[in-house]
Amino acid sequence: MGKLESEYEDIPGTYVFDGKRCIEGFQLNKFCKSLDLEANRAAFRDDPSGYLDKFPMTPEQRKAIEDRDWLGMLQLGGNVYYTFKLAAFDGITMQHIGGAMSGITVDDFRQMMLAGGRSVEGNRSKSEWK
Amino acid sequence: MGKLESEYEDIPGTYVFDGKRCIEGFQLNKFCKSLDLEANRAAFRDDPSGYLDKFPMTPEQRKAIEDRDWLGMLQLGGNVYYTFKLAAFDGITMQHIGGAMSGITVDDFRQMMLAGGRSVEGNRSKSEWK
Amino acid sequence: MARIIGGVGCSHIPSVGAAMDNGKTQEPYWKPLFDGYEPAREWMRKANPDVVIVVYNDHAAAFDISLTPMFTIGAAPEFLPADEGYGRRKVPNVRGYPELASHLIESLVFDEFDINTALEMDVDHGLTVPLSVMYGQPREWPCRVIPLAVNVVKYPQPLGRRCYKLGKAIRKAVDEFDEDLTVAIFGTGGMSHQLQGERAGLVNPDFDKAFLDDLSGDVARLTNIGHVEYMREAGSEGIELIMWLVMRGALDDKVHEVYRHYHVPASNTGAGLIILENDQ
Amino acid sequence: MARIIGGVGCSHIPSVGAAMDNGKTQEPYWKPLFDGYEPAREWMRKANPDVVIVVYNDHAAAFDISLTPMFTIGAAPEFLPADEGYGRRKVPNVRGYPELASHLIESLVFDEFDINTALEMDVDHGLTVPLSVMYGQPREWPCRVIPLAVNVVKYPQPLGRRCYKLGKAIRKAVDEFDEDLTVAIFGTGGMSHQLQGERAGLVNPDFDKAFLDDLSGDVARLTNIGHVEYMREAGSEGIELIMWLVMRGALDDKVHEVYRHYHVPASNTGAGLIILENDQ
Ligand SMILES: [Fe+3]
Ligand SMILES: [Fe+3]
């Protein structure tokens, strides 16, 4: 257990990309990173399943990608800067996945941002989310 | 001029791989590094000149490579761990290029090593090499 | 001798760059933000530094999960805007300053900072957006740039205290550089924001305002903010603010604020900008 | 709690690995060297640590000229022997220890060391040859390994003093790790040698002997050796000896020498080996 792990794991709705997640999500993030190259994007577009075979992930990780389960990816070691590459591949924005991860529509998410964003009040500790 | 540059530049027969040389030799070393991959070794073997065209070096650097001028490569920004990859490509050893860089035959170089190596006496300062 | 003429703290929001690249800065959503940039650009035109040290982070563009470099100085003659999935950003290439970069690296290593050297490194929005914010859309960037990439993505990020000390060591190195140059330093990223998880969209204007205030008021408080406080109060990506502390460390102990601008929202983020100068 | 049970200093000469891989260790050229390794292997069998931290450098195998990382800890579950031009070295894969590696990284970063994290990194002769020297040719390495790669190729390398302090911080982190483990630490590279230039083939046995002596006798002298003294006296590649100071720093202030072996030549190099244990 890391020195601060119990403290940062208490922050609700937040997946700190620490050593543990970094190792767990290695192949998932590597897949996402591969989409930087147009040749790989084309290969993934043509044959999603065959392309994913190149990255030996867990079945849960693979399903999260196939389902575009943006929150699930994070919970399985994904990092948002990597998973965003898949969002960009899909042609959707950071607001889309912000909404998806927090369980609201993209329009509600945009509205929330226009109103000043999500407040830190009530969102500091998991104990506040019970 | 770096803080220690005048001091280490006084060491005779030695090319400290500092920022300056690192930048100067960037393409030369990159070419050498590319030989890590068998596909690249094959390409270089088949068409040395065409392969070298991919690395925009100075004419002097390119000539040093073509001539297998091991000392010249260092003087033009090469680093021995990189240029050794070209030596390995040629099937020659560190003793071969040790001899070539110091102007003796490989047998004399081996003999020198068996006799305890090159002494530091008389080899500390360029002033001793006059 | 080279000298630091000022420091800028500046968010590096991708959509701010995109708004400029796509000519949207006068749209109602963007206008208030960009109007606030004008006085900063005016300062920049007057200051016109020869070199800008840009402290930023790479967002999985130049680096990937295989290797997470902690502090990296770019010593190449040129850096290309990264392709972040939409082709390379259409801004000028970034001209480096190898001699100054090598000097910085040597000096910092002698001061026991463990600095990586990059000789080939594409620079992503973390670096190019603050240039756009401060310089607008020139045909060439009017300064040379030293990229200083900081890991803020993988925990553990460097401590804020460490970043501040790095700034102080940069200051010393710049002061000792034997050319007559003016140098500005940008600390980029932030301010409070969270891109990920169920808490995505978090913005904390109180935290941000206090941070802006204490850059000139109480730096000791800022350098003592730890990982958990950043992540909890400023969002998981708000920890990017440690990069502003590198900038702050490179200035005098006493500084005054020349200008600030704060606006919510820009995309998912609170956008902040501050200009600091040394007291005379 | 984990604890450090000893330190090893050991050259990492490629041809020593090749002599083993090709069954040449009993040839007249190699026999005196390998005979001297036997007592060290005996110590290793008895010590049988759960984990070995190997401080080594990459020789343009995993890293290249684009990025020179200063201090890098490998946190992957496994590392493959690098292909250094003749195919991957035919030795077992290296099993890592991600939990301990992550703990080390966190602890070191909190102690203000700027550590890079590698999650994919082939390990070259710098790491595998010392394993071969100390363990012979087992089917699997009997320990888990934490690779700690140090830049010694591009000037400025870290100061010897910095390496020594890094060792002390590693010691603290190991002591705090909450598992009952025995840990050895290898400092590799050196001793005096120069591969490059007209001065290629330089060996300085007096320097090497004094270095070996002072690992237990006068560490302060060693930590004050600067870049130029290493390069001038021990050859341009002799500066690899700074990695032995990481090992030394991880031991107690008072240590005793268990064993040493020194032999010239092995290929272009003076080959040294030392085993140190903490005084009781
Ligand atoms: Fe950022
Ligand atoms: Fe070595």
Side-chain angles (χ1 to χ4, degrees), chain A residues 81, chain C residues 12 57 59 125-126 152 189-190 193 240 243:
Chain A
Y81 293 120
Chain C
H12 59 214
N57 70 291
H59 304 76
H125 68 269
V152 297
H193 67 303
E240 291 187 339
M243 296 185 288

Side-chain angles (χ1 to χ4, degrees), chain B residues 75-119:
Chain B
Q75 289 165 337
L76 297 166
N79 173 279
V80 71
Y81 293 120
Y82 290 84
T83 60
F84 182 67
K85 293 171 188 290
L86 180 58
F89 173 86
D90 288 346
I92 63 175
T93 68
M94 200 56 101
Q95 274 95 347
H96 279 89
I97 66 173
M101 288 183 293
S102 53
I104 57 178
T105 68
V106 59
D107 285 334
D108 286 349
F109 190 87
R110 283 203 187 104
Q111 236 12 84
M112 178 183 79
M113 292 313 299
L114 283 170
R118 187 184 307 278
S119 172

Side-chain angles (χ1 to χ4, degrees), chain D residues 40-80:
Chain D
R41 290 176 180 173
E42 185 53 35
W43 178 87
M44 203 75 221
R45 270 187 292 271
K46 286 202 186 118
N48 193 28
D50 300 308
V51 184
V52 178
I53 299 169
V54 184
V55 186
Y56 77 108
N57 69 291
D58 179 77
H59 305 77
F63 305 137
D64 69 26
I65 199 79
S66 305
L67 184 73
T68 303
M70 205 61 163
F71 291 131
T72 305
I73 287 181
E78 191 176 51
F79 305 92
L80 305 185

Side-chain angles (χ1 to χ4, degrees), chain B residues 81, chain D residues 12-14 57-59 124-126 152 188-190 193 195 237 240 243:
Chain B
Y81 293 120
Chain D
H12 59 213
I13 306 159
N57 69 291
D58 179 77
H59 305 77
D124 74 5
H125 69 269
V152 296
T188 77
H193 68 304
L195 300 175
E237 280 67 58
E240 291 188 339
M243 296 185 287

